[in-house]
Structure formats: structure tokens, C-alpha cells
């Protein structure tokens, strides 16, 4: 097990079941995103620190775009989950606030929650963090369009696999 | 350093930009024009196919950073690759609007610096594919300079 192995983060007060599944989208896989937990309208994901994802070679800190991509992918997964894997989703807009500098050589985790689901739009909030979910690196909020096209959602496998080492 | 060399130095300082295959050139007006080739790894929806929102947001953030860095370099007198590495702007927040589905095509992006402030700078950027009049995604971001 390498030093930067992804772990299921401790999320106090949040009812979420550990899962272990790679991203189903090519870009999610490209940044190394994995699904780590599933709850009610809620998803937890993580990605390993990688030198190719760095925003400044001098500092070794992950690029802001990686954080945004992780939040988008995680929130998309939560939207598909919240709609019961029935409809395709597409991001309408999102805002990401970078709360504190990311730390070099550290894995990044993300939770996204669908706080309002309507017939056509899902509203999410999300947080990205290293070790401590109460100290987010970035928070994101945004909306997804539901039934954006005729494709079948393939963001999550359904049903989820149990963790390999459970 | 000339702007073209500067932008090259800033781009070289961003490993993630290389992973995405982003290249940068200066347009007729002197502003940075970035391109990102189509790559299967950038797809979000395999069935359409459509580019992932994260690849588009990342591309826009890189474009905004490069154009802001170019304009700031004149003020800060960034004159070496090392100095460029220490002057890459940091995002405070970004707001991204997805206007159209982005297909399996190369992307081009340009950024406009709305305001360079002493503390923060605000940049607008948009990306298009085959028709510059039909942007697929736009972004407004606020950036700060790293501490010296």
C-alpha cells in the first residue's frame, strides 16, 4: 500500500456507506477519481495526488481545475444517484471557492449533496478536502440539468459494488 | 522577455496544462489564445460524446491564468522562467457557465482581464469549438498573486 492510498474519509454526522468503484467517465478516470461512499442524495469521491495534476511545478499543489473537475464529477454522480439512475445529466453552472491553499503531495476527497431536486434541475453543494472534512480546500455550488439528452446515465455502476476489502 | 516567451514559461510551470495538451499563442491583439486538442480522456458522456465539464473548466482556468500572468508580468517585471514559476496567479473563486454541449472537437479559448487590482484581479474567459460566435463554456474568475 503506497503512502497516498485513498481511504474512506471519516465524515462525522453523515450517513454514508463505503463503496469502491472507479469513475465511469473518461475524464473522471483521467484525473484518477474513485467513488468511495454513497448516501442519500450524497456521494463521496477521492483522487490520488499525481505530479501530472499539479498547477505549479514549484509548489507541487494540485491545479484548481483538478479541484473543479472533481467537484463537477462528484456532483454529477450525486445527481444521477438522486434521480435513481434514470436520466442523463449535464452541468448548467458551477461556482468553486478556493477556501485555503491545497497542500502538496496530498490526496483530495470530495463530498457532494443534492439539496434540492426538481423535475428539470438539481441543485448541489460540494466540498473538497484533504484529511479533515471540516477544513475544506474548496467549496462548490451549482446546478445540473436533468434529462439533458436521450443518453442513459453511466456515471455510476448500479448497483454499487461492495468495498473489495470489506 | 517577450510576451511569447513569457507565456511559454508560464505554461511550462503548469504540469496539468501539459497533461491536457494545452498550447498557447499570442493573437493579433497580443492576447493569449489557448488550444486544447480533442482527446478521449476529456470526455464526460461517452454516448454523445460530450466533453466533461471538468476538462472545460480546467482549460478556461488555465487560459485565464496565462492571460492574467502575461498582463501582470509587465507590471511585476517577470524576466526569467524562475520568476514566472513564482508568479503564477492563484484562483480565489471561479464561476463557470455551460452554454452548449461540447463535442469531440478541438477547443480554443481566450481570456479578457476585466480588472487588475493591487490585491485581486478579475478575468473573463470563454471557449469555443468550430464557431467562435458560439461559445460552449464561459467563466469568470477572481485571482490573487502568490506571496513573494
Amino acid at each position: 500500500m503506497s503512502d497516498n492510498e485513498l481511504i474512506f474519509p471519516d465524515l462525522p454526522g453523515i450517513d454514508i456507506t463505503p463503496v469502491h468503484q472507479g469513475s465511469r467517465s473518461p475524464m473522471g478516470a483521467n484525473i484518477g477519481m474513485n467513488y468511495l461512499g454513497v448516501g442519500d442524495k450524497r456521494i463521496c469521491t477521492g483522487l490520488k495526488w499525481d505530479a501530472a495534476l499539479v498547477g505549479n511545478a514549484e509548489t507541487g499543489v494540485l491545479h484548481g481545475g483538478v479541484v473543479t473537475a472533481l467537484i463537477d464529477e462528484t456532483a454529477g454522480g450525486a445527481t444521477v444517484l438522486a434521480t435513481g439512475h434514470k436520466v442523463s445529466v449535464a452541468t448548467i453552472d458551477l461556482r468553486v471557492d478556493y477556501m485555503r491553499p491545497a497542500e502538496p503531495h496530498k490526496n483530495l476527497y470530495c463530498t457532494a449533496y443534492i439539496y434540492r431536486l426538481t423535475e428539470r434541475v438539481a441543485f448541489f453543494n460540494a466540498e473538497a478536502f484533504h484529511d479533515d472534512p471540516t477544513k475544506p480546500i474548496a467549496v462548490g455550488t451549482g446546478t445540473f440539468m436533468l434529462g439533458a439528452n436521450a443518453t442513459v446515465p453511466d456515471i455510476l455502476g448500479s448497483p454499487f459494488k461492495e468495498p473489495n476489502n470489506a | 522577455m517577450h510576451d511569447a516567451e513569457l507565456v511559454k514559461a508560464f505554461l511550462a510551470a503548469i504540469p496539468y496544462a501539459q497533461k491536457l495538451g494545452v498550447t498557447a499563442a499570442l493573437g493579433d491583439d497580443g492576447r493569449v489564445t489557448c488550444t486544447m486538442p480533442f482527446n478521449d480522456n476529456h470526455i464526460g458522456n461517452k454516448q454523445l460524446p460530450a466533453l466533461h465539464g471538468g476538462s472545460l473548466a480546467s482549460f478556461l482556468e488555465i487560459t485565464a491564468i496565462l492571460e492574467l500572468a502575461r498582463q501582470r508580468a509587465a507590471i511585476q517585471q517577470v524576466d526569467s522562467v524562475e520568476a514566472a514559476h513564482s508568479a503564477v496567479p492563484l484562483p480565489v473563486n471561479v464561476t463557470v457557465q455551460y452554454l452548449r454541449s461540447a463535442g469531440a472537437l478541438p477547443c480554443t479559448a481566450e481570456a479578457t482581464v476585466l480588472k487588475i487590482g493591487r490585491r485581486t484581479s478579475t478575468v473573463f474567459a470563454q471557449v469555443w469549438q468550430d464557431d467562435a460566435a458560439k461559445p460552449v463554456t464561459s467563466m469568470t474568475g477572481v485571482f490573487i498573486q502568490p506571496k513573494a
Side-chain angles (χ1 to χ4, degrees):
Chain A
M1 196 181 245
S2 69
D3 284 349
N4 71 338
E5 200 71 27
L6 290 174
I7 50 149
F8 179 67
D10 185 28
L11 299 165
I14 293 176
D15 187 13
I16 197 157
T17 307
V19 293
H20 186 86
Q21 186 180 293
S23 174
R24 302 287 284 251
S25 91
M27 184 61 184
N30 194 24
I31 59 171
M33 195 213 78
N34 281 277
Y35 292 103
L36 300 176
V38 178
D40 180 26
K41 297 177 190 161
R42 194 186 301 272
I43 291 275
C44 175
T45 62
L47 62 81
K48 289 180 186 177
W49 182 89
D50 187 302
L53 301 178
V54 160
N56 187 334
E58 198 177 68
T59 64
V61 167
L62 292 175
H63 193 274
V66 176
V67 181
T68 306
L70 179 64
I71 286 176
D72 185 37
E73 176 79 1
T74 307
T79 307
V80 169
L81 182 80
T83 57
H85 298 251
K86 289 194 185 90
V87 298
S88 66
V89 304
T91 326
I92 301 171
D93 72 342
L94 68 89
R95 172 188 169 118
V96 178
D97 286 274
Y98 300 96
M99 310 294 283
R100 51 171 60 78
E103 294 170 43
H105 306 282
K106 282 207 167 182
N107 295 343
L108 191 67
Y109 298 91
C110 180
T111 57
Y113 175 63
I114 305 303
Y115 64 89
R116 168 86 176 132
L117 187 67
T118 74
E119 201 179 312
R120 288 184 289 181
V121 179
F123 300 80
F124 73 86
N125 52 44
E127 298 188 343
F129 53 94
H130 289 310
D131 307 312
D132 185 350
T134 67
K135 290 182 176 156
I137 300 305
V139 300
T141 182
T143 48
F144 274 82
M145 195 193 303
L146 310 182
N149 53 68
T151 62
V152 180
D154 189 30
I155 292 175
L156 304 173
S158 179
F160 268 100
K161 286 182 224 155
E162 290 301 312
N164 289 344
N165 52 358
Chain B
M1 290 172 92
H2 296 299
D3 271 12
E5 290 175 288
L6 262 175
V7 170
K8 214 171 152 185
F10 277 110
L11 187 61
I14 308 174
Y16 185 52
Q18 279 119 56
K19 181 180 172 74
L20 294 177
V22 175
T23 59
L26 296 180
D28 295 338
D29 57 0
R31 283 193 300 153
V32 172
T33 300
C34 286
T35 57
M36 181 172 75
F38 171 71
N39 186 319
D40 284 340
N41 287 336
H42 299 167
I43 289 175
N45 183 327
K46 284 181 273 191
Q47 297 163 67
L48 287 174
L51 296 183
H52 195 281
S55 19
L56 292 159
S58 298
F59 179 45
L60 283 170
E61 194 173 319
I62 290 163
T63 304
I65 284 171
L66 290 178
E67 174 61 12
L68 177 59
R70 181 189 73 79
Q71 293 196 25
R72 285 213 59 118
I75 304 165
Q76 287 189 315
Q77 295 183 324
V78 172
D79 53 6
S80 69
V81 173
E82 291 71 30
H85 281 221
S86 304
V88 179
L90 301 168
V92 176
N93 66 53
V94 295
T95 309
V96 187
Q97 293 82 33
Y98 296 93
L99 308 169
R100 294 177 174 84
S101 179
L105 293 167
C107 290
T108 307
E110 277 182 2
T112 303
V113 178
L114 301 177
K115 167 81 162 73
I116 291 189
R118 269 179 302 175
R119 294 181 181 82
T120 62
S121 300
T122 303
V123 186
F124 173 77
Q126 50 186 359
V127 54
W128 68 89
Q129 295 193 306
D130 47 355
D131 185 350
K134 290 184 176 170
V136 293
T137 310
S138 68
M139 183 200 81
T140 306
V142 177
F143 297 84
I144 50 170
Q145 286 306 114
K147 283 181 185 164

